[in-house]
Amino acid sequence: MGTDRPGAGTGRSEPLPDGGRFEIRVRGTLGEGLRSAFAELTVTLRPAETVMYGGGIDQSALYGILDRIQALGLELLEVRGLPPPSRAEKPSG
């Protein structure tokens, strides 16, 4: 039984395409308690939705976040991959 997931069966996770950056939207404005369930993400509240951003997320971590969204009874509106950071966005060092 094969799988096309990056890192599947290798015992390690690999970054997703496009740098593993994601934007996840859920319906409603999450309170502080629910936001704390997504500490690894940057959370932005909008009037009718909550937008969460994450970078360096491998596929298993993304599935874990989506499982948490479902377990908390949140309505998932959208998940989309973001392009890699531009030179201006990358920290120098």
Side-chain angles (χ1 to χ4, degrees), residues 50-69:
T50 300
V51 183
M52 297 179 276
Y53 300 93
I57 297 175
D58 64 29
Q59 193 161 17
S60 64
L62 177 61
Y63 284 129
I65 292 166
L66 297 176
D67 285 344
R68 258 181 280 157
I69 288 170

Side-chain angles (χ1 to χ4, degrees), residues 7 14 19 26 31 36 43-44 53 62-63 73 75 77 83 87 90:
E14 300 196 15
V26 296
S36 69
V43 178
T44 303
Y53 300 93
L62 177 61
Y63 284 129
E75 182 180 348
L77 299 175
R87 287 197 132 141
K90 289 182 182 178

Side-chain angles (χ1 to χ4, degrees), residues 6-68:
T10 64
R12 62 186 172 89
S13 297
E14 300 196 15
L16 290 170
D18 297 327
R21 290 175 19 139
F22 287 89
E23 176 182 286
I24 301 168
R25 296 174 179 268
V26 296
R27 186 172 312 281
T29 303
L30 301 185
E32 188 174 334
L34 286 175
R35 289 193 311 263
S36 69
F38 302 99
E40 74 272 39
L41 303 173
T42 300
V43 178
T44 303
L45 302 177
R46 302 256 169 94
E49 66 185 9
T50 300
V51 183
M52 297 179 276
Y53 300 93
I57 297 175
D58 64 29
Q59 193 161 17
S60 64
L62 177 61
Y63 284 129
I65 292 166
L66 297 176
D67 285 344
R68 258 181 280 157

